[in-house]
Amino acid sequence: MATDKGAVIEHRAYARVGLLGNPSDVYNGRTISFSLGNFWASVRLEASENLSILPHPAHDLVQFDSLPHLVTRLQTDGYYGGVRLLMAICKIFHNYCKDNGISLHEGNFTLSYDTNIPRQTGLSGSSAIVCAALSCLLDFYQVRHLIKVENRPNLILDAEKELGIVAGLQDRVAQVYGGLVYMDFNKKHMDDMGHGEYIPMDVGLLPPLYLIYAENPSDSGKVHSTVRQRWLNGDKFIISSMEEVANIALEGRMALIEKDYAKLASLMNRNFDLRRQMFGEEALGALNIEMVEVARRVGAASKFTGSGGAVVVFCPEGPSQANHLEDACKTAGFAFVPVEVMPSFLKEIDLGTMSTR
């Protein structure tokens, strides 16, 4: 039993790539995302006498070689590690269970985490830690069958909102479901159900894809701000552009089902062009734009995986084009790796909680 003394539960949650439609998920739009097997966060829960959250030896550093070392570290990595994320999901999970009449046993635990997701690359590193921790809590308290799969992304997002992290549901859906997922966040469904419509797709529909990311990326948490306010204010250009971005995911779903990869390439490029028009060059950042452009210069299709820091690429001409792009990325100082797509990791107990099978 999961609650036995000394019992250890460990879960991984993977990075995610927004393939099409982002950032319309926070504007009642549609997206297609997939779980990226190249990078992940893992959380370990061990039954213990007291409830403890262990700091990570590297990501929650509190001991430094010198004052300059401390300053340099804060300038590159900021003030925050993963401890706050683990605390936040514990609080959100507890309150959700209390509000929904789900009783929890009184056992305590120790939580620790690790991650290899590159920081600030728009690959959802923070939510991966929260998602893996939620999985551990579901198993430790044996309530996985009582909390619907569709609601779990909301819990993860709520934990991040506690900490002032700006984000949408898309990333958390991809991390909870795994695999390739089409998502529709239309207002009626969101208002009626409290979540979007999430439709898993066959990962075999995807062509070979690649990832470009920067070693020293910009902060992905600040990019949405002005566009969000303009959308709320009824700005016609932003509203119509965001609707077009949402329609890109709708068209992209059919393109994938039909394996029309020429269409996929054009949709990926259009997605980024619309983002560029809405957010502007300054908000996106020169380094992020260059990652897209380095791919386009060799004829590849490219767009942000999230809000900047990493780019997903499709090379319609195949491996030789990818080789040219790899060389160009080396010259530009960018990392370039083939994408590994993780299949869905929902088990029968999870599927049994879903509104529709």
Side-chain angles (χ1 to χ4, degrees), residues 60-75:
D60 297 289
L61 203 59
V62 291
Q63 184 173 323
F64 303 89
D65 296 335
S66 63
L67 186 59
H69 179 213
L70 179 149
V71 172
T72 302
R73 170 60 183 243
L74 292 180
Q75 286 172 339

Side-chain angles (χ1 to χ4, degrees), residues 143-155:
V143 295
R144 185 173 287 274
H145 62 295
L146 297 176
I147 299 180
K148 287 170 56 178
V149 169
E150 294 100 325
N151 289 336
R152 294 176 198 171
N154 296 57
L155 299 184

Side-chain angles (χ1 to χ4, degrees), residues 59-306:
H59 304 303
D60 297 289
L61 203 59
V62 291
Q63 184 173 323
F64 303 89
D65 296 335
S66 63
L67 186 59
H69 179 213
L70 179 149
V71 172
T72 302
R73 170 60 183 243
L74 292 180
Q75 286 172 339
T76 55
D77 292 345
Y79 287 89
Y80 304 122
V83 165
R84 64 183 186 138
L85 298 166
L86 298 179
M87 288 183 171
I89 190 58
C90 286
K91 176 187 173 185
I92 294 295
F93 171 79
H94 169 271
N95 289 349
Y96 178 88
C97 291
K98 184 179 178 183
D99 292 345
N100 288 275
I102 299 171
S103 60
L104 303 177
H105 65 73
E106 294 183 359
N108 281 331
F109 55 84
T110 296
L111 277 181
S112 58
Y113 79 98
D114 198 5
T115 179
N116 63 10
I117 301 174
R119 284 179 56 82
Q120 296 181 350
T121 48
L123 294 171
S124 295
S126 294
S127 58
I129 294 170
V130 181
C131 182
L134 176 60
S135 278
C136 288
L137 293 171
L138 292 174
D139 288 345
F140 179 71
Y141 287 105
Q142 299 180 330
V143 295
R144 185 173 287 274
H145 62 295
L146 297 176
I147 299 180
K148 287 170 56 178
V149 169
E150 294 100 325
N151 289 336
R152 294 176 198 171
N154 296 57
L155 299 184
I156 297 165
L157 184 59
D158 286 346
E160 294 178 278
K161 282 181 177 176
E162 283 271 308
L163 305 169
I165 295 172
V166 178
L169 277 168
Q170 169 195 214
D171 308 359
R172 291 94 203 139
V173 174
Q175 288 169 323
V176 167
Y177 280 66
L180 177 67
V181 188
Y182 170 79
M183 311 169 205
D184 188 330
F185 299 97
N186 72 81
K187 191 173 187 307
K188 185 178 188 313
H189 198 276
M190 291 289 289
D191 289 346
D192 291 348
M193 305 298 294
H195 55 75
E197 296 181 76
Y198 310 138
I199 304 171
M201 299 177 67
D202 179 3
V203 296
L205 296 173
L206 289 170
L209 298 168
Y210 300 88
L211 187 74
I212 298 173
Y213 62 97
E215 301 296 345
N216 298 295
S218 61
D219 182 1
S220 68
K222 298 173 184 172
V223 179
H224 293 309
S225 54
T226 59
V227 169
R228 178 77 181 164
Q229 194 55 52
R230 289 165 65 191
W231 184 78
L232 290 170
N233 291 344
D235 185 307
K236 289 181 180 176
F237 170 70
I238 296 297
I239 288 171
S240 63
S241 297
M242 206 59 80
E243 285 175 356
E244 187 178 347
V245 171
N247 285 332
I248 282 172
L250 190 63
E251 291 181 55
R253 185 183 177 208
M254 288 312 301
L256 286 171
I257 289 169
E258 295 167 2
K259 295 197 173 181
D260 184 349
Y261 296 138
K263 177 74 170 174
L264 175 66
S266 69
L267 290 171
M268 288 174 67
N269 284 330
R270 180 64 180 152
N271 200 150
F272 179 74
D273 291 343
L274 286 165
R275 178 188 280 272
R276 194 173 191 169
Q277 289 166 21
M278 286 187 287
F279 286 89
E281 307 263 325
E282 189 178 351
L284 297 190
L287 188 72
N288 289 325
I289 291 170
E290 178 57 22
M291 280 190 284
V292 171
E293 295 293 351
V294 75
R296 290 188 172 187
R297 284 195 288 270
V298 303
S302 58
K303 63 175 291 296
F304 287 178
T305 61

